[in-house]
């Protein structure tokens, strides 16, 4: 996997109008644009929700989510790798798109 | 007028000469056929069902007939047409009666998009519908037949028709299709249930249908809110185990079992999410039918 540019801004396109349901920290998201339905754990959901709220870079996500990630996984995992992986996957699934400021 | 009010000969003539309308749950099907075996099957399984008048608007226009040419006479075959279009490869002639059921399944799956359709058996007791979604071979029809024996009402053997407006499951009580080993199991478990003849199909194996009890047909206008969703998983080596399924996982599995999810899009997602929200969600591993039925009864 080629690491994405950590300062590239990503966002959920406004026209996407994602539908969410969450139970006990696990979320299901429907993307009307693709017709696909996705199961997300709490970390993935948090990343996607932040990108849905406003354009954000991987670098910013890492900074702002450090406490959340630590509480989810402790210090054993590299949060940057996790977030890079999620952003790449969301891009492949058509949930997010790169954007400019 | 009900099917049982016509003699078998009159029924056969009606189907052959312009066709007859048959009300099955929310659907009216116009059936035209000159095949006596189909008329006899309708007589046997649908005696309690209404024959609407000629003025009634139909949902499906269906014909079962022998194809033209050699196959009309040699190694005879039968074809299923809806709206004049041939929908499947020809079937062996002696499978004409079950072909009507399979064809009707196709009609509902491909046309009834006023409902969210889930591939599922559905029964009801105490006002709560129990959905048993699953692929062929999961045991849903066997369980549905067993639950009839335990006093549940049959809403459907094959399709959960969910009304997006209120989330209720609309009954479409039709013959319950049993396959292979489940046929003798249900015969022994529930001798009061009326089974039709067995047919042998190359892909499905042996197939026999259970006639829906009269009470289920009479109450076909009573929709029900889902109270439970249970994913059956038949395995001949399983111990009986009913375990809770997290709602998010249950929603994903319902999406997977939905027939027209892609057609209804956001409406489908919202309807299934609301359903999961309000229902107990579980998976049932089983090999023994009686123990499986005990487990299901504990949910209602």
């Amino acid at each position: 996997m080629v690491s994405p540019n950590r300062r590239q801004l990503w966002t959920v396109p406004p026209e996407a109008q994602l539908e969410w349901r969450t139970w006990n920290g696990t979320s299901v998201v429907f993307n009307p644009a693709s017709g696909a339905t996705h199961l997300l754990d709490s970390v993935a959901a948090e990343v996607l929700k932040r990108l849905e709220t406003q354009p954000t870079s991987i670098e910013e996500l890492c900074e702002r989510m450090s406490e959340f990630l630590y509480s989810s996984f402790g210090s054993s995992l590299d949060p940057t790798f996790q977030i890079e992986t999620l952003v790449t996957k969301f891009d492949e699934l058509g949930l997010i798109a790169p954007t400019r400021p | 007028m009900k099917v049982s009010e016509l003699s078998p000969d009159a029924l056969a003539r009606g189907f052959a000469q312009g066709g007859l309308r048959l009300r099955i749950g929310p659907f009216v099907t116009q059936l035209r056929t000159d095949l006596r075996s189909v008329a006899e099957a309708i007589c046997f399984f649908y005696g309690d069902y209404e024959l609407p008048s000629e003025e009634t608007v139909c949902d499906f226009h269906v014909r079962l007939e022998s194809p033209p040419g050699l196959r009309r006479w040699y190694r005879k075959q039968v074809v299923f047409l809806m709206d004049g279009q041939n929908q499947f490869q020809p079937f062996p002639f002696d499978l004409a009666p079950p072909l009507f059921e399979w064809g009707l399944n196709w009609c509902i799956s491909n046309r009834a998009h006023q409902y969210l359709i889930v591939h599922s058996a559905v029964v009801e007791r105490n006002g709560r519908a129990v959905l048993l979604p699953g692929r062929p071979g999961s045991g849903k029809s066997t369980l549905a037949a067993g639950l009839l024996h335990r006093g549940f009402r049959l809403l459907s053997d094959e399709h959960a028709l969910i009304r997006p407006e209120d989330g209720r499951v609309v009954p479409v009580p039709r013959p319950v299709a049993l396959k292979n080993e489940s046929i003798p199991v249900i015969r022994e478990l529930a001798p009061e249930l009326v089974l039709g003849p067995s047919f042998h199909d190359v892909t499905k194996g042996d197939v026999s249908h259970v006639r829906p009890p009269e009470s289920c047909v009479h109450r076909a206008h009573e929709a029900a809110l889902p109270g439970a969703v249970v994913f059956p998983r038949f395995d001949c080596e399983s111990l009986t185990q009913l375990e809770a399924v997290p709602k998010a996982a249950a929603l994903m599995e319902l999406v997977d079992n939905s027939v027209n999810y892609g057609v209804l899009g956001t409406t489908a997602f919202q309807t299934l999410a609301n359903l999961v929200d309000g229902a107990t969600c579980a998976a049932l591993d089983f090999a023994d039918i009686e123990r499986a039925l005990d487990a299901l009864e504990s949910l209602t």
Side-chain angles (χ1 to χ4, degrees):
Chain A
M1 182 186 78
V2 175
S3 294
N5 178 347
R6 292 179 186 175
R7 292 187 178 172
Q8 168 67 56
L9 291 178
W10 295 89
T11 190
V12 173
E15 63 273 15
Q17 307 216 342
L18 302 181
E19 294 274 338
W20 289 81
R21 290 295 178 107
T22 302
W23 295 278
N24 298 321
T26 305
S27 297
V28 182
V29 176
F30 176 70
N31 182 1
S34 66
T37 309
H38 308 283
L39 183 69
L40 305 180
D41 64 17
S42 57
V43 174
E46 184 64 26
V47 170
L48 188 60
K49 280 179 185 170
R50 286 175 185 260
L51 294 176
E52 193 177 25
T53 303
Q54 65 181 63
T56 315
S57 68
I58 291 173
E59 195 173 77
E60 289 169 320
L61 283 169
C62 290
E63 286 171 15
R64 294 172 192 173
M65 289 181 61
S66 57
E67 275 191 41
F68 178 90
L69 291 168
Y70 184 80
S71 67
S72 296
F73 298 112
S75 58
S76 59
L77 291 175
D78 175 6
T80 306
F81 176 75
Q82 297 301 315
I83 290 176
E84 279 181 358
T85 304
L86 284 169
V87 167
T88 302
K89 192 67 182 174
F90 288 155
D91 181 31
E92 288 172 4
L93 293 172
L95 285 164
I96 63 175
T99 188
R100 296 174 185 271
Chain B
M1 175 183 284
K2 282 203 246 180
V3 169
S4 60
E5 293 176 42
L6 287 181
S7 69
D9 284 344
L11 200 65
R13 275 198 306 275
F15 283 131
Q17 299 167 2
L20 291 174
R21 284 158 169 74
L22 184 62
R23 183 183 302 281
I24 306 172
F27 305 116
V28 175
T29 299
Q30 193 213 28
L31 172 61
R32 289 177 60 180
T33 184
D34 57 2
L35 304 181
R36 183 79 189 199
S37 61
V38 175
E40 288 174 353
I42 300 293
C43 208
F44 182 85
F45 286 109
Y46 291 93
D48 298 315
Y49 292 67
E50 180 195 346
L51 291 169
S53 68
E54 286 183 9
E55 291 75 37
T56 307
V57 175
C58 298
D59 297 282
F60 315 120
H61 292 82
V62 164
R63 292 203 324 257
L64 278 107
E65 59 191 35
S66 297
L70 186 65
R71 290 298 189 197
R72 197 172 185 85
W73 313 110
Y74 173 68
R75 288 192 180 176
K76 292 168 65 173
Q77 293 177 330
V78 58
V79 292
F80 181 95
L81 297 94
M82 195 193 86
D83 292 343
Q85 301 291 319
N86 201 343
Q87 303 300 339
F88 313 117
Q89 296 291 326
F91 274 67
F93 186 79
D94 58 359
L95 291 181
L99 179 57
F100 172 70
E101 300 298 329
W102 299 330
L104 201 51
N105 289 341
W106 186 95
C107 293
I108 293 171
S109 296
N110 286 275
R111 294 287 189 267
H113 300 310
Q114 66 271 42
Y115 304 108
L116 172 62
I117 305 170
V118 178
H119 196 206
S120 174
V122 191
V123 295
E124 176 268 329
R125 192 163 74 174
N126 300 327
R128 286 163 53 107
V130 179
L131 275 71
L132 302 165
R135 302 290 182 200
S138 60
K140 61 183 185 302
S141 295
T142 309
L143 290 173
L147 289 170
L148 282 182
H149 171 64
R150 296 277 183 108
F152 283 69
R153 173 169 68 112
L154 176 72
L155 271 65
S156 179
D157 167 48
E158 184 75 10
H159 296 115
L161 304 182
I162 306 167
R163 235 167 19 203
E165 306 90 82
D166 61 5
R168 289 179 182 266
V169 181
V170 173
V172 56
R174 288 175 53 213
V176 178
L178 302 176
K179 292 194 285 283
N180 301 316
E181 294 78 21
S182 66
I183 299 171
V185 165
I186 294 299
R187 275 194 205 279
E188 184 176 340
L189 175 76
E192 79 285 359
L193 294 180
V194 178
L195 268 70
S198 283
F199 297 89
H200 182 76
D201 175 55
V202 174
T203 53
K204 297 178 194 285
D206 293 325
V207 176
S208 181
H209 290 83
V210 176
R211 187 166 72 195
E214 188 181 358
S215 57
C216 301
V217 181
H218 281 167
R219 295 179 62 192
H221 58 284
E222 294 179 30
L225 271 176
V229 179
V230 182
F231 300 97
R233 302 192 287 228
F234 173 77
D235 183 334
C236 58
E237 296 181 3
S238 264
L239 293 176
T240 304
Q241 187 172 353
L242 183 70
E243 58 180 0
V245 172
K247 288 190 185 281
L251 176 52
M252 293 301 290
E253 198 154 347
L254 281 172
V255 170
D256 197 40
N257 279 286
S258 293
V259 171
N260 61 348
Y261 186 82
V263 174
L264 298 187
T266 302
T267 298
F269 175 79
Q270 292 172 346
T271 301
L272 287 181
N274 291 340
L275 186 159
V276 162
D277 224 7
T280 301
C281 301
L284 175 64
D285 294 297
F286 76 103
D288 182 279
I289 182 75
E290 293 260 30
R291 290 186 179 148
L293 297 176
D294 290 340
L296 287 170
E297 281 203 280
S298 70
L299 285 177
T300 59

